[in-house]
Amino acid sequence: MAVSELLSLTLFITFLCAVNNGRVEATHEIYPQFQSLSAVSVHQLHRTAFHFQPPKNWINDPNAPMYYNGIYHFFYQYNPKGAVWGNIVWAHSVSKDMINWKALEPAIYPSHRFDRKGAWSGSATILPGNKPIILYTGVDPSDRQVQNYAVPANLSDPYLRKWIKPAGLNPVVDPEAGVNASAFRDPTTAWWLSGHWRMVVGSKRNHRGMAYLYRSRDFIHWIKAKHPLHSAPHTGMWECPDFYPVLLSGRQGLDTSVVGKQVKHVLKVSLDVTRYDYYTVGTYLTNEDRYVPDNTSVDGWAGIRYDYGNFYASKTFFDPAKKRRILWGWVNESDTTSDDVRKGWAGIQAIPRIVWLDPSQRQLMQWPIQELETLRGTNVKMNHQMLKTGDHIEVKGISAAQADVDVTFYIPSLDKVEAFNLGWSLTDAQLLCAKKGSKVQGGIGPFGLLALASENLEEYTPVFFRIFKSSQKHIVLLCSDARSSSLKDGLYKPSFAGFVDVDLTDKKLSLRSLIDHSVVESFGAGGKTCITSRVYPTLAVLENAHLYAFNNGTETIIVENLNAWSMKKPLRMN
């Protein structure tokens, strides 16, 4: 980290400490007056069609996705009584394809002393004998965060509807002396190594993010290791940690317990201070039970994100049926709490993604699960279409409010790239996107898609590339800029952005965007950089939404091929 970045980070943390009496906290805002205010009616205008969300009320973290006996189980934090955070239970839905879902009764809810004030996030592990078990965080009457477990009441029930929390054995992990009991949560999926189960619990010590390591022979009696699996200074609370192996090559996923020479490991943490998910790629030193990030991975705020937009508290699981690792992530709202109460719902889940290691071994790749393609309907194509300066060409013939769009751009004149200003920071893509925008003319770019656009472009969400040139290489920026997304005031409308580590030898860039009424989920360069934006247009809704390919750069861009599909609705959970 550069000295200037470290200074800025230190000043920001100092500010947070001042306003929070020395405690860096950024957990869910609490609105007691709304927590149990049930929706009389549910406003449908901005509800998604093919993303996961229950019929009404608040959802947040994906808890413990798992595959068991031919069924995908998805547990998530849910308020059954209102559209704001509170009254949290573990809602439970099941599916055979992770697209069409059936909702069941909540699996876990506060009922004992060890979780009386909260049943928070956790993970699932499949034990030998094909026996699933859940680890989760409970909040006791003294507001101490403790780790508990739950098991199915009836393994012969294919849906595992009922879960038991053995009162005589819980909690299985208590915060010992020296552990911050108010910041000690979200146990990971466990892995087996050398006769012991291991799992990680997220925490902090002062402003140092901590991944505490615990070991157990029987999954009930856990002992804290002398040192954490990993930690990093100036990062604050590490929520929802996730630790898993990835193969050095190929897309195949691995069971969480796999180690070996052909494997790297990924440690993901959700930083409570920034509300973004960051990960590193590195080496798991099994003889020391330590994780060491590679020198190409940076811990903390300057590190790599799964997604550079509305995406938090994510969780992966291994899918043994198709040998893949699946990533779930919570996509929160960008409107106000009063808007959420009025419309009767808040929060969705991103489309499940497969994740694998990029051939560079410096980052992960992500792509929507193939099952999503079963929802594709009407298809339109565009091939070899020139986009000159100022062009915006409409993609007609589909429902632009709920669509899957996959486009490859060809860039004939890479020698006309704008020089990268040395005053711009390679760690602050969002600031650069806000400065440049989709209308500020460059050499190569901005070019891309105008999603959820009104006919006369009073509203639109641009997802676009800009290409710069440094002394050594091309620098590619991907933006999803919500500032022009809605005429409504009071919304959070950021210029989300991330840099794309891509080789432009073939002069091509690809972009896939999943457009679903109030969300635009985008995958740049085959999934190297992902951005999810929540937007709430007032004009560009339903049949009045439009989709355009555009170019505001000085150099012509060619749409080599574009495929766009209207998306059908899956079978809903209700």
Side-chain angles (χ1 to χ4, degrees):
M1 180 180 291
V3 173
S4 59
E5 294 168 345
L6 181 58
L7 179 59
S8 298
L9 176 58
T10 303
L11 289 172
F12 184 51
I13 290 179
T14 301
F15 165 74
L16 288 171
C17 291
V19 298
N20 288 303
N21 296 319
R23 296 178 62 82
V24 180
E25 299 286 358
T27 51
H28 300 293
E29 293 188 53
I30 299 174
Y31 301 90
Q33 69 274 32
F34 297 139
Q35 286 180 3
S36 301
L37 187 62
S38 183
V40 177
S41 62
V42 176
H43 290 228
Q44 300 291 334
L45 183 62
H46 291 120
R47 282 181 62 81
T48 61
F50 57 91
H51 283 72
F52 182 100
Q53 67 178 130
K56 63 180 181 179
N57 297 331
W58 166 280
I59 66 168
N60 57 287
D61 307 5
N63 284 327
M66 70 175 185
Y67 180 84
Y68 182 72
N69 287 354
I71 300 290
Y72 293 101
H73 294 257
F74 185 52
F75 305 90
Y76 53 97
Q77 300 273 276
Y78 176 62
N79 179 358
K81 298 181 180 180
V84 303
W85 186 86
N87 309 307
I88 294 298
V89 302
W90 275 50
H92 183 193
S93 294
V94 292
S95 172
K96 291 191 174 181
D97 58 8
M98 286 186 284
I99 297 297
N100 301 282
W101 291 93
K102 175 181 176 63
L104 306 177
E105 290 298 310
I108 297 173
Y109 50 89
S111 60
H112 291 73
R113 180 177 176 79
F114 50 78
D115 64 6
R116 185 169 298 162
K117 298 186 74 171
W120 292 358
S121 297
S123 301
T125 303
I126 307 298
L127 300 182
N130 199 30
K131 296 179 179 179
I133 187 169
I134 283 172
L135 289 169
Y136 74 98
T137 297
V139 184
D140 71 15
S142 300
D143 291 320
R144 298 166 67 257
Q145 295 170 18
V146 299
Q147 313 315 315
N148 306 311
Y149 84 99
V151 292
N154 180 9
L155 285 174
S156 65
D157 174 9
Y159 288 166
L160 303 178
R161 292 177 177 88
K162 301 293 184 182
W163 290 74
I164 297 170
K165 303 177 291 185
L169 296 173
N170 278 311
V172 292
V173 176
D174 246 318
E176 62 182 46
V179 173
N180 185 342
S182 67
F184 179 66
R185 52 187 178 267
D186 311 331
T188 64
T189 296
W191 66 98
W192 178 260
L193 179 67
S194 303
H196 287 84
W197 289 102
R198 288 154 168 80
M199 61 102 170
V200 162
V201 180
S203 187
K204 67 175 182 177
R205 187 165 61 212
N206 296 320
H207 306 305
R208 188 179 191 90
M210 307 291 290
Y212 286 121
L213 178 68
Y214 288 81
R215 302 187 188 99
S216 174
R217 290 188 181 274
D218 60 6
F219 223 89
I220 304 301
H221 302 91
W222 294 86
I223 297 174
K224 181 173 169 288
K226 291 181 180 179
H227 56 75
L229 180 74
H230 187 54
S231 67
H234 312 302
T235 52
M237 173 66 195
W238 283 5
E239 292 194 303
C240 304
D242 200 10
F243 185 62
Y244 56 91
V246 287
L247 279 171
L248 295 182
S249 62
R251 296 192 177 196
Q252 180 175 312
L254 297 172
D255 179 83
T256 310
S257 296
V258 172
V259 295
K261 292 182 179 180
Q262 298 303 310
V263 168
K264 286 275 190 184
H265 272 75
V266 174
L267 176 63
K268 187 278 306 185
V269 294
S270 302
L271 294 193
D272 198 18
V273 176
T274 66
R275 308 303 281 179
Y276 293 125
D277 281 7
Y278 302 79
Y279 71 88
T280 56
V281 177
T283 302
Y284 177 32
L285 303 176
T286 55
N287 59 327
E288 300 177 24
D289 257 345
R290 286 185 186 270
Y291 167 75
V292 180
D294 292 347
N295 58 14
T296 54
S297 281
V298 178
D299 275 310
W301 302 8
I304 311 171
R305 298 186 208 168
Y306 279 149
D307 192 295
Y308 290 83
N310 292 70
F311 191 92
Y312 191 68
S314 59
K315 181 74 66 175
T316 68
F317 77 102
F318 174 61
D319 174 10
K322 295 192 174 182
K323 301 293 189 294
R324 56 187 178 173
R325 181 156 290 271
I326 303 293
L327 169 68
W328 282 91
W330 169 44
V331 182
N332 60 331
E333 302 295 323
S334 290
D335 57 2
T336 67
T337 299
S338 58
D339 287 330
D340 295 341
V341 172
R342 177 182 49 80
K343 70 189 189 225
W345 53 272
I348 65 173
Q349 301 293 333
I351 294 297
R353 307 171 182 180
I354 60 169
V355 294
W356 69 98
L357 190 62
D358 180 74
S360 71
Q361 299 182 10
R362 294 191 299 263
Q363 68 168 94
L364 296 173
M365 302 287 286
Q366 303 170 61
W367 200 246
I369 58 171
Q370 188 175 2
E371 290 90 334
L372 179 66
E373 297 172 16
T374 63
L375 299 181
R376 288 174 172 174
T378 304
N379 173 234
V380 297
K381 299 177 184 290
M382 183 185 295
N383 295 305
H384 307 294
Q385 175 68 57
M386 294 181 67
L387 289 174
K388 298 180 180 179
T389 302
D391 280 351
H392 60 279
I393 299 174
E394 184 166 7
V395 180
K396 297 182 178 180
I398 61 165
S399 174
Q402 56 186 76
D404 183 351
V405 188
D406 200 349
V407 56
T408 299
F409 298 99
Y410 180 73
I411 308 148
S413 306
L414 269 176
D415 57 326
K416 302 295 180 62
V417 171
E418 179 181 359
F420 190 79
N421 187 324
L422 293 178
W424 298 335
S425 170
L426 274 173
T427 62
D428 202 338
Q430 188 166 333
L431 184 62
L432 181 56
C433 178
K435 181 181 178 66
K436 288 292 187 177
S438 64
K439 290 183 177 180
V440 177
Q441 194 175 79
I444 307 299
F447 65 90
L449 301 173
L450 302 180
L452 295 175
S454 57
E455 185 174 9
N456 298 316
L457 298 184
E458 300 96 336
E459 295 178 331
Y460 57 93
T461 299
V463 184
F464 60 93
F465 294 106
R466 298 187 79 110
I467 305 176
F468 304 94
K469 180 172 58 179
S470 71
S471 59
Q472 297 179 332
K473 64 176 183 176
H474 291 105
I475 297 171
V476 179
L477 180 72
L478 176 64
C479 297
S480 182
D481 193 346
R483 289 178 296 177
S484 55
S485 63
S486 179
L487 296 176
K488 183 180 176 181
D489 294 326
L491 302 174
Y492 176 51
K493 297 187 285 188
S495 304
F496 286 134
F499 291 105
V500 189
D501 184 9
V502 62
D503 182 359
L504 292 178
T505 302
D506 62 1
K507 299 185 177 181
K508 295 179 183 180
L509 274 173
S510 67
L511 175 65
R512 184 177 179 187
S513 289
L514 306 176
I515 304 163
D516 198 1
H517 297 280
S518 63
V519 61
V520 180
E521 192 174 353
S522 298
F523 303 80
K528 281 181 175 285
T529 299
C530 307
I531 306 177
T532 300
S533 292
R534 295 306 307 274
V535 294
Y536 310 91
T538 61
L539 302 175
V541 296
L542 304 176
E543 68 275 5
N544 294 320
H546 298 263
L547 173 68
Y548 300 91
F550 84 99
N551 176 28
N552 282 335
T554 59
E555 300 302 313
T556 296
I557 300 295
I558 297 173
V559 176
E560 184 174 83
N561 56 70
L562 179 150
N563 266 294
W565 295 266
S566 295
M567 295 296 280
K568 305 169 188 174
K569 288 186 177 182
L571 299 174
R572 292 309 242 166
M573 294 178 292
N574 54 342

